[in-house]
Amino acid sequence: MARIRLTVLVRETWRDRYPLVVEHCRQAGLAVERELVAVGVIAGSIEEDRVPGLARVEGVSAVEPERVNRALGNS
């Protein structure tokens, strides 16, 4: 299965336990690349078939695929 990059949003009520949510996400298979504590976001990659388990981690409010912004070239 392919790895996908995604963003995990930490539930507002779990922000004080952010490190715990990060650890549980790692245990669910997320390779954490960035931790944005101030906004409650974790960015990383995971095997596509493990996303449902990641979404069930306590303290996670949403799992969203990474958004890629590509600059348009002049044609």
Side-chain angles (χ1 to χ4, degrees):
M1 183 106 342
R3 286 191 82 77
I4 59 169
R5 295 174 61 92
L6 47 74
T7 301
V8 176
L9 305 176
V10 177
R11 194 172 303 282
E12 185 72 35
T13 56
W14 277 75
R15 296 274 177 91
D16 61 331
R17 293 170 277 179
Y18 183 92
L20 182 62
V21 177
V22 171
E23 182 55 34
H24 289 168
C25 287
R26 282 191 171 106
Q27 291 172 5
L30 182 66
V32 176
E33 296 168 11
R34 285 177 306 193
E35 295 180 28
L36 305 169
V37 179
V39 292
V41 171
I42 307 162
S45 63
I46 192 169
E47 293 291 330
E48 196 169 8
D49 63 339
R50 298 189 77 180
V51 172
L54 181 63
R56 289 190 299 270
V57 168
E58 194 170 9
V60 168
S61 66
V63 175
E64 299 177 352
E66 181 180 70
R67 294 185 183 105
V68 178
N69 295 324
R70 300 182 196 271
L72 298 176
N74 295 332
S75 311

